[in-house]
Amino acid sequence: NYGDFVTFYAPGMADLPVGYQGDPGIYAGTSIATAYTAHRVASILDQIPDADMETILLNLAGIFKLRDI
């Protein structure tokens, strides 16, 4: 997706040791990006349960790390 309604975009590549049918491989696309981003957001919310959108986006962008808060 693209356009002014997109708030954040994430990488869409992953090199996984176990993949489809057990074989290792490199995977690409929105499925990988969604899983990666959801994990990062969950980690942020675990550390900062009341984090607002700006705090989450700054963490995702690497502007500051959780330990800096």
Side-chain angles (χ1 to χ4, degrees):
N1 292 326
Y2 60 92
D4 23 344
F5 64 91
V6 175
T7 303
F8 183 82
Y9 58 92
M13 296 287 294
D15 187 2
L16 303 174
V18 176
Y20 181 68
Q21 297 183 352
D23 298 329
I26 296 176
Y27 299 88
T30 56
S31 296
I32 293 296
T34 301
Y36 173 82
T37 304
H39 178 263
R40 294 281 315 273
V41 170
S43 296
I44 293 166
L45 291 173
D46 183 52
Q47 297 283 324
I48 315 166
D50 60 343
D52 61 5
M53 179 71 80
E54 182 180 8
T55 301
I56 292 170
L57 291 173
L58 289 171
N59 270 276
L60 289 172
I63 302 301
F64 58 80
K65 304 286 187 239
L66 291 172
R67 66 180 173 274
D68 294 337
I69 297 173

